[in-house]
Amino acid sequence: MQYKANSPEDYIKQTPENRHEALNKLREVINKNLPDGFKEGMQYGMIGYFVPHSIYPDGYHCKPEEPLPFMSFASQKNSVNLYHMGIYAVPEIYDWFVPEYAKHSKLKLDMGKSCIRFKKVDQIPFELIAELCQKLTVEKWISIYETAIKK
């Protein structure tokens, strides 16, 4: 679902009320655990976490006026989706995450390349997401990104 929000708070207010608690907690966990340098804001119609132009002036290569995206989450019709570019770009993070998920949830992992779908918002594994947030620093993400776009 698309929301026309100007801030993370506004975005959450527009979602179904039964998701507010989980979305606020997800936001809190991400903000507490992302390394310094990432900034929170609205990006691509979702709550996003990105490398601001003050740190990486080149921005996103497809759209340089956009800051370099890293992580985001969205409330969709049937799920809350978490997008983490490190899972997609770094095989070691993917290889860590998949078996680790089973230790934190009884539910089957529903995952795309960078997207993790949580259909039961009361069973989001917040501790695991906290650990995932800590896997890459801003500097490391920029390095991975620059290596990937040069290929």
Side-chain angles (χ1 to χ4, degrees), residues 31-60:
N31 278 314
K32 257 189 203 174
N33 289 282
L34 269 182
D36 289 339
F38 289 107
K39 184 176 179 196
E40 179 189 59
M42 296 303 298
Q43 195 173 36
Y44 306 108
M46 300 178 277
I47 298 175
Y49 301 87
F50 45 83
V51 181
H53 283 107
S54 61
I55 294 174
Y56 190 67
D58 291 350
Y60 184 45

Side-chain angles (χ1 to χ4, degrees), residues 63-113:
K63 219 174 173 186
E65 65 275 9
E66 287 283 336
L68 178 61
F70 175 63
M71 188 173 179
S72 59
F73 68 90
S75 178
Q76 301 295 344
K77 182 178 180 182
N78 296 314
S79 60
V80 168
N81 295 354
L82 177 72
Y83 304 88
H84 188 280
M85 293 308 296
I87 285 178
Y88 175 70
V90 183
E92 295 82 10
I93 294 177
Y94 176 89
D95 293 343
W96 165 81
F97 184 83
V98 171
E100 199 63 26
Y101 179 86
K103 297 175 188 175
H104 292 263
S105 179
K106 297 177 209 151
L107 302 175
K108 181 181 177 205
L109 178 59
D110 184 357
M111 186 172 163
K113 288 185 178 183

